Amino acid sequence: PIIERRRSRGRAFRCSDHSLGRGSLLLVTEGGAMEDLLGEKLRARWDKYGQGPAVEASGGDTRIVGEAGDRSTNGRSNGDDAGGSDDDEKENLVYRELWSSGKKEDAKPTLPSTSFGAAIADLKERAKEALSDGDVAAAESLYTEGLAILAKHRESRKHSRDELGNGSTGESSHENESEEEEGHRNTAAILYSNRSYCRAQAQRWLESIADAYAAIELRPDWAKPYYRIAQAKAGLGDYRNAVAACRQGQRLLEDRGDRSREFVALMDEISNEAFLSGSLAGFDGRLLLVRSAGEEAWLGREAPANPLIDDVAEDGAAHLSQLGLGRECDGDGDGGAGGDEDHAGLDDGTLAALAARRKSEALAKTSMQSFRSLKEAVGEAKDGDRILLLRGIHNTGGATIFVDKRVLIRSEGTLEETTIDHRGNSPIFRITRNAVLQNVDIDMTGFRESLYVSGGPKVCPVIEHCRFRCSGDDAINVAGQAKPIFRKCHVVHSKKVGLRLYDRAGGEYIGLRISSCEQQAVKVMEGAQGAFYGCVFEENEEEGVVVMDSGEASLRDCCIRGNQ
């Protein structure tokens, strides 16, 4: 949280008001003025990164505190002098939501608060208990029973209204009927969605999808049924439509200001499953090309600049003018959103930054982009993008590449044709998200591991057909509760251990080959667990596999030979 107190200038603090959203960051200013020092700093930062109030304007909430009635604070009424005490400063303040880290009001349907609603709620509780006991069939039967009860109740209510005739046709009567009908629709949507879950648990995918679509028809603004559809589509192997359902559900959440990422996590799982099944459904975004650094790669330099691709302006003002964003722009031209801005007080460095941002926005509209370094490409990438390392030698400039996005990184050609030559004392890749690293040759010179994977139990990146060398430390470390999937990879040489698993890490290692390490090929320690299938550990200077502490290793069809 950003917490800063400035006497008589404004304050930013956390708010627990549910109408604003949990964890909301509020900017508080006197007399409604937004030009205080803190506001200027926040706006400058958000303008730089394309975030903040401009993004949240559609969902913002403003309320004024400090006048009569509800506007008094801490029991003190407004009207005293605008003195210097903190309590006095709380008067006449404007509270404006700038950003929220949590959920806002949920669109989830609720059961009616009637005796009928109470009966359905009791049925739901019994179905929930059945699911907790593992009796999916009983839970499904209860939800089906609930739908039958609902149909009878609706028919009974309709029959009662028909018998009464048109005796009560006032506005209040129509409102009651409308509320009752909405309650029926909500109840049916909940029952269909829950039965969809039960049928998915039984792997009756088509029936699950049918129930989820029935719930959407009743409540098109509810995101949960799209979650059910995505799971069922993935179960059928229809990964593209599963990903599409995730995106639709996430869009519904974002439209109402809900910033939860439940669909993002589900899309990560589906994307991995799809990739392992031979589909790129979760990686259908842009293609980002990374050019080779050539002979200067070992110096940690980027690929040579290409003026036809890398239109970088040394003179920020001149380049900004070319883009229609220069000082001479008065808003009458076609310079876009920036054409009516006043840049008279900006230096060339700031102008160049604005030009670069406009270029980035323009490139974002294209399907293919070119970059001078892998670090730049990963920084620009978004979830679902693919990064292709073109043939030649690449480097990271000595910096770690933090892979916290759902991206696919692969090399062009064979392992001999494309290599990442990293020289530094930090890992080349630190992967903390479901991503894919494919067909990459890594040559690490430094005193850290070449690849570090960590995160929670749902962090399951795929590393396929890669080759690792490390001159000063372990080749691969897996930590936390991460469960990566390695397929057909080769650790050619390591100063220490080829693969080290610790904490409570796990994963599956299929066709992994580790050779010529100066210590063990595999070391499983602490509470880690690893499953190895068809692996070869040979010609290492210490043991092939060591399991210590409470670690576990399962080896099937593996070959351990020639180790010291």
Side-chain angles (χ1 to χ4, degrees), residues 90-393:
K90 293 179 181 178
E91 301 171 358
N92 296 323
L93 302 180
V94 170
Y95 290 72
R96 184 183 302 276
E97 180 186 4
L98 301 181
W99 179 78
S100 174
S101 62
K103 290 184 177 181
K104 291 193 175 182
E105 184 178 355
D106 195 354
K108 177 181 178 180
T110 57
L111 295 173
S113 55
T114 60
S115 57
F116 166 71
I120 295 296
D122 178 68
L123 183 145
K124 278 185 60 184
E125 284 300 316
R126 287 188 286 145
K128 186 176 179 181
E129 291 176 3
L131 285 173
S132 63
D133 293 337
D135 194 345
V136 176
E140 180 189 352
S141 177
L142 285 168
Y143 289 128
T144 302
E145 178 185 343
L147 288 168
I149 293 173
L150 172 62
K152 291 180 180 179
H153 179 75
R154 295 182 72 172
E155 184 64 27
S156 173
R157 295 295 298 163
K158 182 178 182 299
H159 182 68
S160 298
R161 288 194 296 269
D162 291 343
E163 286 185 346
L164 291 174
N166 297 326
S168 301
T169 59
E171 183 177 346
S172 61
S173 175
H174 287 299
E175 289 179 357
N176 291 337
E177 290 181 15
S178 177
E179 290 179 3
E180 185 177 30
E181 181 59 27
E182 182 180 2
H184 290 159
R185 292 173 66 87
N186 287 344
T187 302
I190 292 171
L191 293 173
Y192 275 121
S193 177
N194 290 354
R195 192 173 72 172
S196 173
Y197 171 79
C198 293
R199 290 177 168 178
Q201 293 297 107
Q203 297 187 4
R204 290 155 55 192
W205 308 118
L206 292 176
E207 294 173 82
S208 175
I209 292 170
D211 277 352
Y213 275 121
I216 290 174
E217 185 176 354
L218 292 163
R219 283 297 304 269
D221 59 337
W222 189 25
K224 178 61 74 175
Y226 286 101
Y227 197 95
R228 310 290 190 219
I229 291 172
Q231 290 177 315
K233 291 285 188 180
L236 287 171
D238 186 1
Y239 298 112
R240 292 197 179 278
N241 283 323
V243 169
C246 285
R247 288 173 176 155
Q248 180 64 23
Q250 187 64 33
R251 192 176 300 115
L252 284 176
L253 294 180
E254 292 172 356
D255 286 347
R256 69 169 187 265
D258 189 334
R259 294 165 183 82
S260 59
R261 296 174 59 84
E262 54 189 292
F263 281 97
V264 175
L266 178 60
M267 202 180 309
D268 284 356
E269 295 179 19
I270 293 173
S271 298
N272 262 23
E273 183 180 340
F275 180 82
L276 293 172
S277 299
S279 170
L280 294 179
F283 302 98
D284 54 356
R286 301 168 299 170
L287 177 61
L288 312 183
L289 305 179
V290 182
R291 306 195 301 276
S292 167
E295 296 179 356
E296 296 186 346
W298 68 277
L299 295 174
R301 295 179 180 174
E302 298 177 331
N306 184 336
L308 298 178
I309 301 175
D310 308 307
D311 189 14
V312 180
E314 296 180 1
D315 183 350
H319 186 56
L320 202 65
S321 175
Q322 295 173 8
L323 294 179
L325 300 171
R327 293 188 176 96
E328 69 275 20
C329 291
D330 57 5
D332 295 332
D334 56 354
D340 56 356
E341 297 177 4
D342 182 12
H343 303 292
L346 302 180
D347 57 26
D348 285 348
T350 303
L351 293 171
L354 287 172
R357 179 179 175 183
R358 289 292 184 263
K359 177 191 172 186
S360 176
E361 292 173 351
L363 285 174
K365 299 177 182 179
T366 65
S367 60
M368 184 181 297
Q369 302 181 26
S370 179
F371 297 89
R372 298 174 62 190
S373 70
L374 177 58
K375 181 180 180 182
E376 183 186 8
V378 173
E380 174 66 24
K382 299 178 181 178
D383 285 353
D385 286 348
R386 292 159 291 156
I387 299 174
L388 179 63
L389 302 175
L390 300 180
R391 286 180 175 86
I393 309 298

Side-chain angles (χ1 to χ4, degrees), residues 432-451:
T432 57
R433 179 91 179 269
N434 281 15
V436 174
L437 192 64
Q438 183 186 43
N439 198 47
V440 178
D441 181 41
I442 296 176
D443 187 355
M444 169 71 180
T445 302
F447 297 101
R448 285 296 300 271
E449 63 274 13
S450 57
L451 173 64

Side-chain angles (χ1 to χ4, degrees), residues 41-63:
K41 288 184 176 181
L42 289 172
R43 284 198 302 277
R45 178 177 179 84
W46 284 324
D47 287 344
K48 180 179 179 182
Y49 294 103
Q51 302 173 349
V55 177
E56 300 299 331
S58 61
D61 187 3
T62 303
R63 55 185 62 194

Side-chain angles (χ1 to χ4, degrees), residues 334-545:
D334 56 354
D340 56 356
E341 297 177 4
D342 182 12
H343 303 292
L346 302 180
D347 57 26
D348 285 348
T350 303
L351 293 171
L354 287 172
R357 179 179 175 183
R358 289 292 184 263
K359 177 191 172 186
S360 176
E361 292 173 351
L363 285 174
K365 299 177 182 179
T366 65
S367 60
M368 184 181 297
Q369 302 181 26
S370 179
F371 297 89
R372 298 174 62 190
S373 70
L374 177 58
K375 181 180 180 182
E376 183 186 8
V378 173
E380 174 66 24
K382 299 178 181 178
D383 285 353
D385 286 348
R386 292 159 291 156
I387 299 174
L388 179 63
L389 302 175
L390 300 180
R391 286 180 175 86
I393 309 298
H394 298 261
N395 67 73
T396 65
T400 295
I401 304 298
F402 291 89
V403 183
D404 55 359
K405 307 170 184 177
R406 178 170 37 83
V407 295
L408 186 154
I409 302 173
R410 77 179 311 274
S411 296
E412 183 182 37
T414 65
L415 291 175
E416 288 73 23
E417 292 177 302
T418 309
T419 298
I420 299 178
D421 184 359
H422 177 83
R423 298 167 188 266
N425 292 324
S426 61
I428 298 179
F429 290 103
R430 183 182 290 264
I431 301 178
T432 57
R433 179 91 179 269
N434 281 15
V436 174
L437 192 64
Q438 183 186 43
N439 198 47
V440 178
D441 181 41
I442 296 176
D443 187 355
M444 169 71 180
T445 302
F447 297 101
R448 285 296 300 271
E449 63 274 13
S450 57
L451 173 64
Y452 180 79
V453 181
S454 67
K458 292 188 177 181
V459 175
C460 308
V462 178
I463 294 87
E464 182 180 64
H465 195 240
C466 294
R467 184 166 60 189
F468 301 89
R469 289 182 295 271
C470 186
S471 67
D473 207 311
D474 301 339
I476 303 167
N477 280 184
V478 183
Q481 300 180 60
K483 295 178 173 59
I485 300 174
F486 280 73
R487 298 201 304 187
K488 300 295 182 181
C489 293
H490 186 191
V491 176
V492 178
H493 169 76
S494 172
K495 179 68 174 179
K496 295 183 180 179
V497 178
L499 169 66
R500 186 191 301 266
L501 280 66
Y502 56 97
D503 290 339
R504 289 184 290 165
E508 297 182 358
Y509 305 84
I510 306 164
L512 175 63
R513 183 179 178 186
I514 302 178
S515 59
S516 302
C517 296
E518 297 185 21
Q519 293 185 14
Q520 300 91 353
V522 176
K523 195 168 189 177
V524 182
M525 50 196 300
E526 298 176 357
Q529 299 179 349
F532 301 87
Y533 306 94
C535 300
V536 177
F537 310 127
E538 60 182 359
E539 305 298 333
N540 298 285
E541 296 188 13
E542 295 188 16
E543 298 89 347
V545 178

